Amino acid sequence: MLPLMLPAQRYDSISIVCPGQFTAGRVIPIECRFYNHNHAVFIDTIIRISVNNELVQDVNIRKGVGSLALQTNQQADILLEVDGTIFSKSVLFAENNFISLAGNIGQNLTLEEDVCYHITGDLNIEGGFRLTIEPGARVYIAENANIHVTGQVFCQGNSEKPILFSSLETGKFWGGLIIENSADTSFFKHTFFAEGGGDPTQVFGHSQSQAVVKAANTAVVFEACCFIDNTGKALGALNSTMKITRCLISRCDTGGEFYASSIAADSCHILFIPDADGLANDDDNDAWYFSETHLTETTSTIKNSFFISGEDDGIDHNGANLQIENTWVEGFLHEGIACSNKNSVLIYNSVVTGCGQGIECGYGNPHVEANHCLIMANGTGARFGDEYTLASEGKFQVNNTVFFNNTDNLLNFDPQLQGPVGDSLSAHYSITNDPDFDNLNHCLAAVPIFNTNLTLHADSPGAFAANDGLNMGLVFAFLFTRPISQSVQLKIYPNPAQEEIYVVLPPAVSGYFDIILYNTSIQPVQIWPETFFSDGNEATIRLKATVPGMYFLCVQSAGTVYVQKILIYD
């Protein structure tokens, strides 16, 4: 199925992030991101990367992010360029001067800035000690070798000098980084992981592959990290906590498998799992898999993220507590979101499209709620029941959601019963377009009219008809993904106001913002596009013939929204 494309968004820059140095014949992982006024834009396109005006390779950009594993035998500095643009990045050539490491380390170990290391065999950092890796360090690891840390890991890369973990020989995959430490939190910032997960003795989870980074009984934080072209799964967690922010996972056996762990993910891209070859050879290659709950019983969260293209499920829930918010799930062979076993899943303000089944509430006793979602262009939109032999005894409630252009919008079918399970799938205040649900519980049979951002148009059926007075379907433009709530960081004066107001953003915030005045029905009343704020300065806004009353003033750019109430009087 073709990907669902949003209208083209303007961009003014493309960042190329990769290690600052390379060695001839070894992989250079590259991440590309699109921006407008320093804010992420979520464009779908294909760009071409050239090396010194030669060796052109395509990069598939999905929702503003893409990656490439480049290999070159050049023995001089190279220039990476995005064809047809002014955007480029220089990468320095480095000789094969390795510092070799292996064995047991019973002291703090620092891998120094811009130095190249060769892990010749298993490396073990003993408990109580720290492995520190400085910006620009490159760590090449022997086939099947692992780094086992019972102390703490501190990777402090940056966007100009990210850290690299990769194999010494292309095609001979290294093992993984295994962290076991209940006392400390490990940190990874701006770190690339490539060609890992190859040790067959460290298989973890139901996809039968090794995790490139596995956390056991510990806490790990990932920020702006990239897992690209790994034969194993990117992440594994066992009785652990993970915070994963602005990370890219692409072309890995599985994006991540989390057992009895607490996960907090924000602004991540999980793309092309396990690969981008277009051939369906499913081996439990879920993008992310959540099983059981953490001992703290905390709910795992996924926010503002994209799961695109895979040969099994996008998000597979098996007995965890999980909340999915402002997330896009697209193009998975089986389920976009599969829920089973027990506990709960809440899906809010999210899009599920182009999957075999959009959302499934399957075996066991899971409780699933989809609220303010858009479920479109799937085989089955929402289903209660699955193809397993275990009974399906849970509950699936759909609220304020739009179903559109699915082959079967809602399906309640248990193969063991050869029919529906009573009191299991319900829909309320939704555009269902299904004879079993239409005109019941305030549901509609109607053709929705969408704005270009996939929210409902003001003239659409379902507009302002949800049970909370908002639109059915998405509450806000998906790519801004922030609910209306007051922000103490946004200052407006005078308030109450009559004809003119002054808007002040927080200190150190600058750039172009769209200013939108919404009424209490979340209808835009007045728009001031691309208003420039310099650091610490205010913008002057003139109100035009606005009916007196309460309003919301929204100041937004891609990925950032500030909202404040304002009272307008005669």
Side-chain angles (χ1 to χ4, degrees), residues 119 121-122 140-148 165-168 172-178 193-203 209-214 227 230-234:
I119 309 301
D122 287 349
Y140 293 105
I141 307 168
E143 185 176 16
N144 296 337
N146 298 288
I147 301 173
H148 193 171
F165 290 87
S166 189
S167 63
L168 182 66
K172 294 186 176 181
F173 297 94
W174 63 285
L177 181 54
I178 304 162
F193 300 88
E195 296 196 306
D199 183 359
T201 70
Q202 295 291 333
V203 166
S209 66
Q210 182 183 15
V212 177
V213 178
K214 180 183 177 182
F227 296 78
N230 292 286
T231 193
K233 55 176 60 70

Side-chain angles (χ1 to χ4, degrees), residues 40 102 107 110 120 210 247 517:
Q107 60 186 21
T110 297
T120 58
Q210 182 183 15
C247 291
L517 186 68

Side-chain angles (χ1 to χ4, degrees), residues 65 88 222 294 299 538:
V65 177
S88 63
F222 298 92
H294 190 251
T299 296
E538 61 190 28

Side-chain angles (χ1 to χ4, degrees), residues 372 400-402 429-431 442 444 456 462 465-466 470-474:
H372 279 295
N400 307 315
T401 288
V402 172
Y429 292 88
S430 297
I431 296 179
H442 304 277
L444 306 176
L456 288 186
L470 303 176
N471 286 348
M472 295 178 182
L474 300 180

